[in-house]
Amino acid sequence: MASLSALPHPLQYPTARRDDSVVEDYHGVKVADPYRWLEDPDADEVKEFVENQVKLTNSVIQQCETRSKLNEKITKLFDHPRYHAPFRRADKYFYFHNSGLQPQDTLYVQDSLESEAEVLLDPNALSEDGTASLNTLSVSEDAKYLAYGLSLSGSDWVTIKVMRIADKNVEPDTLSWVKFSSISWTHDSKDQSEDILCWRDPENPKYSFGGGVTEDGKYVLLYISEGCDPVNKLYYFDMSELPNGMESFRNKSNLLPFVKLIDNFDAQYHVIANDGTAFTFLTNKDAPKYKLVRVDLREPTVWSEVLQESENDVLESACAVNGNQLIVSYLSDVKYILQVRDLETGLFLHQIPIDIGTVDEISARREDSVVFISFTSFLTPRIIYQCDLRTNIPDMKIFREIVVPGFDRSEFHVEQVFVTSKDGTKIPMFIVAKKDISLDGSHPCLLYGYGGFNISLTPSFSVSRIVLTRHLGAVFCIANIRGGGEYGEDWHKAGSLANKQNCFYDFISAAEYLVSTGYTQPRKLCIEGGSNGGLLVGACINQRPDLFGCALAHVGVMDMLRFHKFTIGHAWTTDYGCSDNEREFHWLIKYSPLHNVRRPWEQQPDKSIQYPSTMLLTADHDDRVVPLHSLKLLATMQYVLCTSLENSPQTNPIIGRIDCKSGHGAGRPTQKMIDEAADRYSFMAKMLDAQWID
């Protein structure tokens, strides 16, 4: 299936010890786990396994001729100034900027949009190798303090510090070992030494808690979730009930007496705005495509509808702006629509004109009449619009436009098609290619997917994918399979729990469409995905190894029987189920990548069928989807397919790329992103026999 003339045949895979005595009983079903020893990242034997795999992968990458050219071109295109939308606090503006190849974006502050900006916080100065990153931040209401969270080597663990903005001095207050938290300021800007414990719940250690202060500073909100489903409880506390502010609770063991407005996990409730006791929420309660509702805290049982659920489009977000207005974004067939509506009534006021693509940031608060809107698409690196709502018709102008030197969007074409899945469901897919390509099946093709956790894959610009399309003649595709949020909560549920197999059927159908319409052919087709998308890739190569020439699986959830036992894995049971439950175990064992590696030549008449060339990518500091998932699958695939037979038909390589000082993906320095892209796509090019085009 791949051009392997330059690679050793067969590859000399490292020997990994199998412990066949490790067998677990799942509800009467005996399941072997011979590589369970790979779950201990600190064991010497595991470190040796990783070192040997790194050597093997490096030896393969060194023989991928396009690696240096890919690295050079991707680096060249990355080297351009990038900006994020500014945001205002008090009399100051803040924004992120990267000059091009800086490892991390730098935070700037300025007194007005026209005044000279100065560096407020440069994460690049915090580590020599650029692996210290800014995870989260919040500026106090008076713009005197910056609270910011630092992550090292891509870890989900964060250390929060506080800086005085005027002199950039860092306060001694530090919060350590924080994970999955935002930062919110009360309006009195007290230091940590004067803080109190607001809430704890030792009876529910797996619950997640998020606290926030309303924009008017009057209420503390407590969001409680038990997993990754878009459902939550919501409690509130009226800070005016403390006659002396927080002082009356200072140094006491009392928790804040929160009022339980929503005390069950039946829907999502997200506060958009409040006028005193009247709160407006974005919710999916009896509205899988979401709607806006309102309740007065004085009459908590009386809810009214502000903006009803759309029949076709998903209400993606709502932002209160300009006093009594809303900017709402809808997702319509995976394309964004922006509207201005009345906050009180929900009535439509204006359409905000945007191109086909993604609104990835709306920067404004209720007091702001000027809104910044960040837009991107497959062929638009980023445009930041400045929208003035003080005029009768919103005044929309370009505030900043990101330009990539050498990129000419007129060379490319984007189309959206709808693929019929196994059960007849129409699956949207974007196809990006050079203009006027011939549909003769000759093109390398990269198909990307995710399909889980209510997450939508919408159009965005990618330097590395543009390089593939321009210089390897590749076709790049995104399949918006079920499990995501592209069509609301029904679409999500149609690809989760007992319905998870729909995700794989959808992705396989997308691949078959690309072959049948002449975009590519199986030996020229590579599939890619990360995290839950890594699971997608792992399951699909097990189920249809004949359909793909290459597979790139990033930080995937591969052991579906034990994922809930590590770090935050227990939260994913809302999407996957859990092997502790007998019924759910039988869902999971059917598609778990680790437990379904088979020798395809033994099960099909065509004895030449083998697994596609596969690269499993993971990182030593990934404390979300821990490396054991990729390591155990890597050892299993190499053994079952490559080393357990004296003359195995599996000639396509099975390798693992294991990065150091990296995590699940967030916070990676620019050079690491470039190096990884060059590695995985040069491997893809070699395996698909894709030729370089200058």
Side-chain angles (χ1 to χ4, degrees):
M1 295 175 70
S3 176
L4 300 177
S5 58
L7 294 180
H9 180 74
L11 288 179
Q12 297 300 309
Y13 292 99
T15 301
R17 176 176 63 87
R18 285 178 59 87
D19 186 351
D20 293 311
S21 67
V22 181
V23 178
E24 191 155 345
D25 188 316
Y26 290 91
H27 316 287
V29 179
K30 300 292 178 59
V31 180
D33 195 0
Y35 298 111
R36 186 171 291 185
W37 57 272
L38 283 169
E39 293 179 355
D40 181 4
D42 298 319
D44 290 340
E45 191 176 16
V46 175
K47 293 177 181 178
E48 182 182 3
F49 174 85
V50 169
E51 290 172 2
N52 290 334
Q53 295 294 337
V54 168
K55 291 177 183 176
L56 173 67
T57 299
N58 288 343
S59 71
V60 172
I61 296 298
Q62 287 170 6
Q63 298 174 67
C64 297
E65 296 85 354
T66 60
R67 205 275 176 196
S68 60
K69 292 181 178 179
L70 279 169
N71 191 286
E72 178 186 347
K73 289 294 184 181
I74 294 172
T75 300
K76 185 176 181 179
L77 285 189
F78 245 108
D79 193 6
H80 65 273
R82 299 185 294 280
Y83 295 87
H84 287 267
F87 64 93
R88 185 176 68 86
R89 291 293 181 273
D91 58 350
K92 297 184 183 299
Y93 287 86
F94 304 82
Y95 66 90
F96 282 99
H97 168 57
N98 192 306
S99 62
L101 295 177
Q102 288 178 285
Q104 304 288 341
D105 294 349
T106 300
L107 180 63
Y108 285 78
V109 61
Q110 56 189 153
D111 291 331
S112 72
L113 293 175
E114 295 77 27
S115 65
E116 185 177 352
E118 58 180 272
V119 173
L120 179 60
L121 179 61
D122 183 5
N124 301 296
L126 302 178
S127 64
E128 292 184 1
D129 58 4
T131 56
S133 63
L134 200 55
N135 176 279
T136 184
L137 66 83
S138 179
V139 176
S140 63
E141 292 296 314
D142 55 13
K144 290 183 178 179
Y145 292 96
L146 167 70
Y148 58 97
L150 293 177
S151 167
L152 298 179
S153 300
S155 172
D156 283 334
W157 289 110
V158 170
T159 300
I160 296 177
K161 296 179 176 293
V162 176
M163 173 191 290
R164 288 203 308 265
I165 291 175
D167 57 15
K168 302 183 181 62
N169 283 332
V170 178
E171 299 283 349
D173 301 282
T174 300
L175 288 174
S176 300
W177 299 108
V178 177
K179 184 182 279 194
F180 305 129
S181 176
S182 59
I183 303 171
S184 183
W185 288 90
T186 59
H187 287 207
D188 59 2
S189 298
K190 296 293 185 181
D191 291 338
Q192 183 187 345
S193 60
E194 301 175 82
D195 285 347
I196 66 167
L197 177 64
C198 298
W199 186 257
R200 63 169 175 260
D201 188 358
E203 294 183 4
N204 294 288
K206 293 183 178 180
Y207 280 6
S208 297
F209 305 95
V213 179
T214 55
E215 282 192 30
D216 61 8
K218 294 180 180 178
Y219 294 92
V220 177
L221 304 176
L222 180 64
Y223 294 89
I224 303 173
S225 59
E226 62 176 347
C228 293
D229 264 358
V231 299
N232 62 273
K233 297 182 180 184
L234 181 69
Y235 303 166
Y236 70 88
F237 173 70
D238 184 348
M239 294 179 68
S240 68
E241 294 183 5
L242 296 178
N244 300 315
M246 291 295 189
E247 292 297 335
S248 60
F249 269 73
R250 202 83 64 201
N251 299 321
K252 294 183 179 180
S253 59
N254 307 45
L255 302 179
L256 290 185
F258 280 97
V259 178
K260 299 178 179 181
L261 180 64
I262 305 293
D263 198 27
N264 51 60
F265 293 116
D266 69 334
Q268 182 182 75
Y269 297 87
H270 178 72
V271 172
I272 301 302
N274 71 293
D275 289 287
T277 57
F279 276 71
T280 303
F281 291 87
L282 175 68
T283 184
N284 55 19
K285 175 68 173 175
D286 301 321
K289 290 185 173 66
Y290 294 81
K291 63 184 179 181
L292 295 182
V293 296
R294 183 170 294 129
V295 67
D296 193 311
L297 300 182
R298 295 171 297 185
E299 297 182 84
T301 61
V302 180
W303 293 73
S304 61
E305 198 170 83
V306 177
L307 178 57
Q308 67 180 13
E309 179 188 23
S310 168
E311 183 177 348
N312 299 312
D313 302 334
V314 180
L315 181 57
E316 183 79 2
S317 70
C319 179
V321 297
N322 197 28
N324 62 348
Q325 293 181 339
L326 289 168
I327 291 185
V328 299
S329 65
Y330 284 98
L331 204 55
S332 178
D333 281 334
V334 207
K335 299 176 287 289
Y336 275 73
I337 294 173
L338 274 189
Q339 298 175 349
V340 181
R341 289 183 174 266
D342 184 271
L343 172 59
E344 179 67 25
T345 64
L347 288 176
F348 173 85
L349 299 176
H350 304 287
Q351 189 91 1
I352 297 179
I354 57 171
D355 201 353
I356 295 174
T358 299
V359 174
D360 60 3
E361 191 176 6
I362 299 175
S363 177
R365 299 203 297 175
R366 189 168 180 180
E367 63 188 29
D368 295 325
S369 56
V370 175
V371 179
F372 295 94
I373 298 166
S374 177
F375 173 85
T376 184
S377 73
F378 291 116
L379 304 181
T380 306
R382 173 169 285 158
I383 298 176
I384 299 171
Y385 294 100
Q386 184 174 345
C387 182
D388 192 337
L389 298 173
R390 292 171 293 191
T391 54
N392 289 334
I393 298 176
D395 180 22
M396 189 86 154
K397 65 180 182 181
I398 294 177
F399 177 70
R400 284 192 176 115
E401 183 169 6
I402 312 306
V403 176
V404 178
F407 167 66
D408 181 0
R409 63 177 294 155
S410 67
E411 295 182 26
F412 306 93
H413 173 70
V414 179
E415 68 173 320
Q416 186 183 40
V417 298
F418 291 84
V419 176
T420 303
S421 190
K422 183 174 182 177
D423 63 358
T425 301
K426 297 295 185 181
I427 309 300
M429 178 167 65
F430 289 104
I431 302 175
V432 184
K434 294 191 73 175
K435 282 187 175 177
D436 303 321
I437 65 166
S438 57
L439 297 181
D440 58 3
S442 64
H443 310 288
C445 184
L446 177 64
L447 173 61
Y448 190 90
Y450 186 78
F453 297 94
N454 196 42
I455 293 172
S456 303
L457 293 184
T458 59
S460 64
F461 187 80
S462 166
V463 163
S464 58
R465 290 165 181 166
I466 286 295
V467 170
L468 295 184
T469 307
R470 173 65 183 83
H471 293 285
L472 292 176
V475 177
F476 167 64
C477 310
I478 284 184
N480 298 106
I481 62 178
R482 283 173 284 186
E486 288 87 349
Y487 291 98
E489 188 58 11
D490 288 345
W491 194 254
H492 169 216
K493 292 299 185 187
S496 64
L497 299 174
N499 298 319
K500 188 64 180 175
Q501 180 61 37
N502 284 337
C503 302
F504 316 134
Y505 286 149
D506 293 354
F507 204 53
I508 288 168
S509 296
E512 290 174 332
Y513 173 91
L514 293 168
V515 172
S516 66
T517 52
Y519 280 100
T520 192
Q521 54 187 292
R523 70 179 187 87
K524 291 278 191 178
L525 176 57
C526 176
I527 53 173
E528 182 177 24
S531 196
N532 174 77
L535 157 64
L536 171 71
V537 170
C540 285
I541 60 174
N542 280 337
Q543 295 183 19
R544 285 296 305 276
D546 60 304
L547 188 55
F548 316 110
C550 185
L552 306 172
H554 305 240
V555 292
V557 187
M558 303 303 193
D559 186 344
M560 300 308 297
L561 302 187
R562 289 175 60 78
F563 70 86
H564 61 290
K565 297 179 180 292
F566 304 94
T567 63
I568 195 61
H570 60 83
W572 313 333
T573 58
T574 53
D575 235 61
Y576 297 143
C578 180
S579 62
D580 294 343
N581 177 288
E582 182 173 2
R583 178 166 169 259
E584 295 170 3
F585 160 76
H586 287 288
W587 303 341
L588 295 163
I589 192 66
K590 289 179 181 177
Y591 70 80
S592 175
L594 179 64
H595 301 93
N596 287 278
V597 179
R598 304 287 186 267
R599 298 169 181 162
W601 53 86
E602 293 180 352
Q603 301 167 46
Q604 301 186 41
D606 186 349
K607 300 303 180 182
S608 67
I609 292 176
Q610 55 176 307
Y611 269 63
S613 302
T614 300
M615 177 185 283
L616 305 178
L617 299 94
T618 187
D620 62 349
H621 278 66
D622 189 344
D623 43 19
R624 193 174 309 178
V625 180
V626 286
L628 67 90
H629 286 277
S630 295
L631 300 185
K632 289 172 72 174
L633 180 58
L634 182 62
T636 300
M637 291 181 70
Q638 289 178 347
Y639 175 78
V640 172
L641 303 174
C642 307
T643 64
S644 59
L645 294 176
E646 185 174 345
N647 295 303
S648 171
Q650 180 69 33
T651 58
N652 293 335
I654 309 294
I655 61 174
R657 187 185 190 277
I658 306 163
D659 202 8
C660 294
K661 301 193 75 174
S662 289
H664 197 60
R668 279 188 304 169
T670 299
Q671 192 58 55
K672 276 189 175 290
M673 289 191 285
I674 294 172
D675 289 342
E676 185 192 280
D679 282 355
R680 70 179 191 267
Y681 290 142
S682 63
F683 176 75
M684 179 193 84
K686 180 74 173 180
M687 299 304 108
L688 303 185
D689 197 19
Q691 304 302 310
W692 186 264
I693 306 167
D694 285 322

